[in-house]
Amino acid sequence: TKLLLWIGVAIAVDLAPIGIAYQLGWLTLTYGDQQLATTRATTVLWALPLLILLATRFYERTLRGRLFQEALEGWGAPAAWTLSLLCGTALALPAIAPGLSLSAPAFVAAALVTALAREIGSTVLYRASGLLAAGVFRGTLLFVDFYLIADWLAPVFPSANYVTSGDAFYLLRAASPLVAALLLVRFLPARAAQAPGLP
């Protein structure tokens, strides 16, 4: 369907800097525990659906189904957008800068812009189709970001990761999710009436 197509396009555009930077030699892919890496192909059968379920039921239900929706009904769209975007971006901060460490400002800035852009995308998808669309978007990004590209969900230590130190990569990494969010804003209009969040 059109919705799934745009979710796929947004995810591809969001993550494109990883492939582009790899081809340009701006980042290096690293691999740790190969035994853990060999199980990743089969784990996709349960990891992706699980992350989509968790993203939909807990993350999107809270930020969009409750916070955004109630703010929209009580205070209007500007307040709803502001609250959900700020809260969603703030939730990403502990993973981006543990202990509010700013030792790598270019990385922190790019990661915060990426988090904000993804909140915009999730909100657009929620307004266009509901919680499941936003959950599929977020859950798939979580799976690719934290499992396929940089496997931080491994139980012992990452079986895969990437490293870079170039500011050009961070600029590209920040710009691409914004482009993805703008594409969703442009091509996925909000529904006439918002559905309530999941109970």
Side-chain angles (χ1 to χ4, degrees):
T1 68
K2 176 185 175 183
L3 181 68
L4 289 176
L5 173 64
W6 280 113
I7 290 175
V9 167
I11 290 171
V13 171
D14 182 300
L15 297 171
I18 307 297
I20 294 169
Y22 178 73
Q23 292 297 322
L24 293 175
W26 292 356
L27 65 77
T28 303
L29 295 174
T30 61
Y31 297 93
D33 189 324
Q34 294 304 304
Q35 288 184 331
L36 289 175
T38 59
T39 65
R40 289 159 71 203
T42 56
T43 310
V44 66
L45 299 175
W46 62 265
L48 178 59
L50 178 61
L51 286 171
I52 290 174
L53 174 65
L54 292 175
T56 304
R57 184 65 178 89
F58 297 104
Y59 205 97
E60 293 304 325
R61 177 180 176 267
T62 302
L63 282 175
R64 252 56 68 176
R66 297 289 184 168
L67 180 63
F68 180 90
Q69 192 61 41
E70 291 182 14
L72 182 66
E73 294 167 359
W75 300 326
W81 275 91
T82 301
L83 279 174
S84 64
L85 296 186
L86 286 178
C87 288
T89 305
L91 286 172
L93 192 56
I96 293 168
L100 296 180
S101 170
L102 300 178
S103 58
F107 164 77
V108 172
L112 284 174
V113 171
T114 298
L116 175 63
R118 289 177 176 181
E119 292 305 319
I120 294 170
S122 292
T123 305
V124 170
L125 286 165
Y126 169 70
R127 298 194 75 199
S129 185
L131 289 175
L132 183 58
V136 167
F137 177 67
R138 184 176 301 280
T140 304
L141 280 170
L142 286 172
F143 175 75
V144 175
D145 241 356
F146 296 116
Y147 186 74
L148 289 185
I149 296 174
D151 184 18
W152 287 103
L153 299 182
V156 183
F157 56 85
S159 61
N161 196 10
Y162 64 88
V163 292
T164 183
S165 59
D167 288 346
F169 168 74
Y170 293 126
L171 181 62
L172 182 63
R173 188 69 192 97
S176 200
L178 285 175
V179 171
L182 289 174
L183 286 172
L184 293 178
V185 169
R186 171 65 180 83
F187 292 103
L188 291 179
R191 294 171 299 174
Q194 291 294 296
L198 293 176

